[in-house]
Amino acid sequence: MNKEALYYINPDCFSLSAEVLSCTQTKDGYVLTLSEDGFYPEGGGQPSDRGFIYLGEEKIQVFDVQEGNPNTVFVSKPMPVGAQVQCEIDKKRRFRLSQNHSGEHIVSGLIHQQFGYENVGFHMESKGEVQGLMTIDFNGKLTWQDCLDIEAKANEVIWQDLPIEIIWNPDESIAYRSKKALAGDIRLVKIGNVDCCACCGTHVHTTGQIGLIQFCSCQPHRSGTRCTLLCGMDALKDSRKKADVLLAMSQALSVHSYKGFTALQKLQAESLQKTHRIAQLEEELIACKAQSIPACTYWFEWVEASQKSSVRKACDYLMHHSQVQIVFVGACKEKEIQFALGSAEKDVRPLFEILKTKANIRGGGQKEMVQGSIQIDKAACIQLLEELGFHGNE
Ligand SMILES: [Zn+2]
């Protein structure tokens, strides 16, 4: 940790000039060292700054920064050693990450105070759809209600707009949280009486700048709990998206947003009832069809399968309630046919093996019934079955 780095001495400096000290090619681009460390490097669970370096008129993107002495800055184009360049740090991104990082300290501090748990794993910008999602692992059990209580307290800390102080190399009177034994300079981030923690990351100046803290999930993880949360701009964007989705759903269901979930549950129950009724009607229909099927060796029948099990159930019924020795039941699903081939008396597997030589078929089963899918259209399937001696209802 470089105590003299610009992002520590002057965290509000987002535009600076520097000299290129070195430039080497890597497999992904070029890596520079500069006379001024203005870009925050990845560290302490916080991703690095991004931004641009201007070499004269040329604008070159900074896509990563790693800690070193000096730090290493990863760019897409080479720059001559000795050149004077202008560095522009992505201020919005730094602020967003600082909001999240400060929010994480408040939450970790409150959980430590209330439950005595340690933050044992912290990751910002977790992969996935939600921008800025943070993952924090605690070494103790938390319920969702615990998280909601902490969320309420954390937001009260925001409203108090407490200063976020940085203390370098504290005396022994200051107690603080730390993930590991520390060597060299110690940097503490102190938030009123809420938290004091060793940290190398960037932070907002007062808790009010965090804006909002919102838990997204909590689940058991190893012997503790993994929580995800959002702060500041990221929390607001996520809330907006969720509110938009809820509003659209509620409008579609013609209810107020607050009643959206109840309306959805009602719809699900109705849909389930309908599914059961359709399955019942399918069974009645196949029972009717069974009566009109003539006694024969091979028969095919088509059904509208509302469920995965519909084809198997229809085949099973016809096997046992018709005068047919071997029955093929098919249902057209998009570009394939789902089928069941069954017999109450004969082993259907030899016939299945013959079918497999004539079309692209996936599936298998026992001697009474094989099931699967055929990559073929209905007309071609009927032709194939007829070639094998089947008759049926088209
Ligand atoms: Zn930290």
Side-chain angles (χ1 to χ4, degrees), residues 39-97:
F39 291 97
Y40 176 76
E42 184 181 1
Q46 184 177 331
S48 72
D49 278 343
R50 299 279 192 274
F52 292 97
I53 293 177
Y54 289 83
L55 177 67
E57 294 289 295
E58 200 173 7
K59 185 180 178 183
I60 298 158
Q61 196 177 4
V62 171
F63 56 83
D64 192 18
V65 186
Q66 290 295 317
E67 195 173 4
N69 190 19
N71 295 334
T72 47
V73 180
F74 293 76
V75 290
S76 50
K77 287 183 181 170
M79 287 175 224
V81 173
Q84 282 295 318
V85 291
Q86 185 66 23
C87 305
E88 299 292 336
I89 297 156
D90 184 338
K91 186 178 171 181
K92 199 172 167 187
R93 173 182 162 88
R94 165 84 73 79
F95 185 65
R96 201 170 63 66
L97 293 172

Side-chain angles (χ1 to χ4, degrees), residues 281-293 301 317-318 321 393:
L281 291 171
E282 279 176 354
E283 283 173 23
E284 286 173 26
L285 184 63
I286 208 73
C288 270
K289 283 183 173 178
Q291 290 174 11
S292 61
I293 297 174
E301 194 66 54
Y317 189 90
L318 294 181
H321 298 86
N393 284 322

Side-chain angles (χ1 to χ4, degrees), residues 44 46 101 104-105 122 177 179 189 197-203:
Q46 184 177 331
H101 202 151
E104 176 266 315
H105 277 226
F122 168 48
R177 294 189 295 118
K179 281 204 193 87
V189 176
C197 182
C199 177
C200 59
T202 67
H203 288 264

